[in-house]
Amino acid sequence: MPEDSQLTVTKRHSRRILWGHVRRLDSIVPTEAQLELRPFQKEALAASLRRYGQGIRRQLIALPTGMGKTVIFANLREHHKMTKRTLVIVHREELANQALREFSKWSPKVAGIEMGSRTVGPEVQTIIASVQSLANRLDEPRFLPYLFDTIICDEAHHSPAPSYQRVFDHFGLLERDNDKLLLGVTATPFRNDSKLLGKTYDEIVYTMKLPEAIEQGWLVDIRGFTAKTDTNLDNVHSGPEDFIEGELEKAVNTASRNECIVRCWREMAENRQALVFTVNVQHAKDLAETFKYYGIPAEAVWGDDAHRKGKIEQHQSANLKVLCNCNVLTEGYDDWGIGCIVMARPTKSRLLFVQMAGRGLRIPEGISNIVTAMREGVPIQKKDCLRIDVVDNTRRHQLATLSTVLDLGRKFDFNGESVKQILAKKPKRRDLGRIDPSLLKRAENAEISITEVDLLGGRCLKCLGGNNGMRPTP
């Protein structure tokens, strides 16, 4: 580990963000009397049923990460009074287990998982299946199309993939006379490639913008720091959707850059549980080792890591402070205790950036609504999530960063005002509807410059309709 780094952080005033000890409440299981859908979840179900009755069979619900989309489709069968089997399609084991937990909570003993060696019996009315396993079992009698009236696709932005399309074709969902309900749920109803979701889904039947979710108290606020490094990416080539991984890892996985990421975290968010997104497995390992070199409890996790489950549990119990991950905690990972997201991986992908950035927005367990809790004086262990966006130099590439993803331009500055302040003064102005951030300068010019951001929102999810052929919700 070098004693002096090529990159330095210079700040006129330093401030430590106190996070405190987080008491985990994940083991608390709500009683039947405590289970109640949130207002927007009821609205989403009502909108789906209404449009289904009006002939819209292929629907999409788009809500920000952390809004409880799984809860919505766990209640759909009973709400819509569907009488046949329900199939839930996922692409990762973590998503299957998460869905099963919600179904078990809301409708005990009606759901089972079909994945690998796990199979369900004829008594199970809701089958949660991996798309990989399902594609190889469609010819089995228990997957005869007439047995099902509802197909739910989790992380629906994957729908254009051939494996998903094969499942949709098997159940006749894309036929003009189809009467089954296909409901896709996602936080990112857009793709990096030219494949359009509008070829699978007819309409976004319900959506809520991130600013609304935060202001209404369903998600925590977001503040961020942009750290600009002197690492140059101009010699890194691009593939169809993003950087070529090997070249990118060689450019950014350096001792000096890794050391400065650790220093930024220590300066800005030392008392917060952090989730770090990296380029590849080696980058995750090296960055975790850098954290540990400075005495910070950290580990790396990746897809075939045999100890991944244990490491994640240690992080969730706060025995580990930092978890460096490579492509395994991007989608469907639920841990409200995450107080800091570190974007150590440069990306050109808006979709990937939004998925990674949304991992820390979930409100604390046991708090139904953060605005109501604050008004009533209830102690709140997490009021916001800090995001450290590591940005490297390039003239050749268009990076997905805080400002570019939010369509603000690289030099956008709110001059110290928050979006809430701006909207309060101009409540009828709608040209800010797609973008809801606030930039506050936090540092003098340095080899790493840090800019604090009070971010309230992101791209309006409903904007997908015009670009992908979907009709707007009436």
Side-chain angles (χ1 to χ4, degrees):
M1 182 63 59
E3 294 183 358
D4 58 329
S5 169
Q6 297 176 5
L7 309 182
T8 59
V9 180
T10 302
K11 295 186 66 181
R12 180 174 298 174
H13 302 289
S14 65
R15 181 184 62 174
R16 180 152 302 173
I17 302 169
L18 297 179
W19 184 244
H21 296 286
V22 176
R23 183 172 65 91
R24 308 299 303 196
L25 301 175
D26 296 11
S27 60
I28 296 177
V29 179
T31 64
E32 184 175 351
Q34 293 173 319
L35 285 175
E36 183 177 357
L37 291 172
R38 294 170 175 175
F40 70 87
Q41 293 169 333
K42 295 178 182 178
E43 292 171 3
L45 287 168
S48 170
L49 181 59
R50 181 177 66 254
R51 296 302 286 152
Y52 180 75
Q54 295 169 348
I56 303 301
R57 302 290 190 250
R58 303 182 301 175
Q59 306 177 357
L60 197 65
I61 291 178
L63 291 170
T65 298
M67 290 283 284
K69 294 181 287 293
T70 309
V71 172
I72 293 174
F73 66 71
N75 283 272
L76 185 139
R77 186 172 186 270
E78 181 177 352
H79 180 274
H80 287 26
K81 300 189 185 322
M82 296 300 202
T83 58
K84 297 183 179 181
R85 278 186 161 187
T86 294
L87 175 66
V88 180
I89 307 172
V90 300
H91 71 292
R92 286 184 178 174
E93 185 178 5
E94 290 86 353
L95 294 173
N97 292 331
Q98 173 185 317
L100 182 61
R101 285 195 299 269
E102 293 300 331
F103 274 100
S104 299
K105 186 188 302 180
W106 291 89
S107 302
K109 300 181 181 179
V110 300
I113 292 179
E114 185 86 19
M115 179 181 295
S117 60
R118 304 165 73 177
T119 59
V120 300
E123 75 284 356
V124 175
Q125 291 300 300
T126 298
I127 302 176
I128 304 166
S130 72
V131 65
Q132 299 88 348
S133 296
L134 187 61
N136 296 322
R137 303 174 188 180
L138 290 176
D139 294 335
E140 297 181 15
R142 55 209 170 105
F143 291 111
L144 288 170
Y146 76 88
L147 297 175
F148 296 80
D149 57 13
T150 306
I151 312 294
I152 296 168
C153 183
D154 198 8
E155 304 293 350
H157 49 277
H158 294 294
S159 294
S163 55
Y164 286 82
Q165 292 294 308
R166 182 186 172 191
V167 174
F168 298 158
D169 287 339
H170 172 80
F171 288 100
L173 300 175
L174 306 181
E175 300 296 329
R176 184 170 298 181
D177 60 350
N178 165 59
D179 62 355
K180 296 179 176 63
L181 172 62
L182 169 61
L183 177 68
V185 296
T186 181
T188 50
F190 48 86
R191 289 178 59 88
N192 299 321
D193 52 29
S194 59
K195 297 179 181 178
L196 305 180
L197 291 179
K199 292 183 178 180
T200 300
Y201 300 98
D202 293 324
E203 182 176 297
I204 300 177
V205 297
Y206 188 82
T207 185
M208 180 183 290
K209 300 177 186 178
L210 189 56
E212 296 175 77
I214 292 174
E215 291 184 279
Q216 291 182 22
W218 307 121
L219 297 175
V220 299
D221 227 337
I222 311 171
R223 292 190 304 115
F225 291 87
T226 299
K228 296 183 179 180
T229 80
D230 62 0
T231 299
N232 194 290
L233 302 179
D234 284 344
N235 292 326
V236 179
H237 295 87
S238 299
E241 300 179 12
D242 209 346
F243 291 110
I244 295 176
E245 184 179 285
E247 294 184 13
L248 182 62
E249 189 264 340
K250 184 177 180 180
V252 304
N253 188 18
T254 64
S256 59
R257 187 179 185 272
N258 290 345
E259 183 180 83
C260 286
I261 290 172
V262 175
R263 292 165 61 196
C264 285
W265 175 83
R266 292 181 70 176
E267 179 66 26
M268 305 301 169
E270 187 172 5
N271 291 306
R272 294 178 179 238
Q273 292 293 108
L275 184 61
V276 183
F277 290 94
T278 63
V279 175
N280 60 10
V281 175
Q282 192 60 50
H283 189 203
K285 291 180 177 180
D286 291 346
L287 190 49
E289 287 300 317
T290 308
F291 275 100
K292 288 192 280 189
Y293 177 87
Y294 284 97
I296 301 162
E299 288 290 350
V301 292
W302 56 94
D304 57 357
D305 178 9
H307 305 290
R308 182 178 69 183
K309 182 178 179 181
K311 293 174 184 177
I312 291 175
E313 289 175 351
Q314 289 184 59
H315 188 251
Q316 291 176 338
S317 62
N319 291 323
L320 285 178
K321 207 68 177 176
V322 177
L323 199 60
C324 300
N325 92 100
C326 171
N327 295 330
V328 294
L329 304 180
T330 305
E331 296 175 328
Y333 179 61
D334 294 334
D335 179 12
W336 69 263
I338 295 172
C340 176
I341 298 292
V342 181
M343 313 289 277
R345 167 185 177 154
T347 180
K348 299 169 68 174
S349 167
R350 176 187 295 268
L351 185 151
L352 179 60
F353 187 94
V354 171
Q355 288 282 0
M356 292 189 295
R359 288 302 110 199
L361 302 185
R362 197 172 296 273
I363 64 178
E365 192 78 23
I367 299 293
S368 178
N369 182 281
I370 199 165
V371 170
T372 302
M374 292 176 65
R375 185 168 56 243
E376 296 176 351
V378 176
I380 301 173
Q381 297 163 315
K382 174 184 174 181
K383 295 181 180 179
D384 61 29
C385 180
L386 194 70
R387 186 162 68 200
I388 300 175
D389 186 8
V390 184
V391 180
D392 304 297
N393 292 329
T394 180
R395 293 184 178 181
R396 176 182 172 187
H397 302 291
Q398 294 294 322
L399 298 178
T401 65
L402 218 63
S403 56
T404 59
V405 165
L406 298 174
D407 295 337
L408 295 171
R410 295 181 179 181
K411 297 182 179 180
F412 180 84
D413 195 335
F414 270 43
N415 294 319
E417 288 191 293
S418 71
V419 170
K420 286 184 178 180
Q421 291 171 324
I422 292 174
L423 295 180
K425 290 186 292 187
K426 300 179 180 180
K428 295 183 180 180
R429 184 174 176 178
R430 299 311 300 167
D431 55 345
L432 295 177
R434 295 174 67 187
I435 312 302
D436 291 319
S438 165
L439 261 63
L440 302 175
K441 291 185 176 178
R442 291 291 301 162
E444 298 298 312
N445 291 332
E447 290 179 76
I448 286 185
S449 60
I450 300 175
T451 302
E452 185 174 0
V453 183
D454 179 16
L455 175 65
L456 289 181
R459 172 177 292 270
C460 169
L461 298 176
K462 200 170 180 178
C463 71
L464 174 73
N467 295 329
N468 290 267
M470 277 189 264
R471 297 187 290 274
T473 302

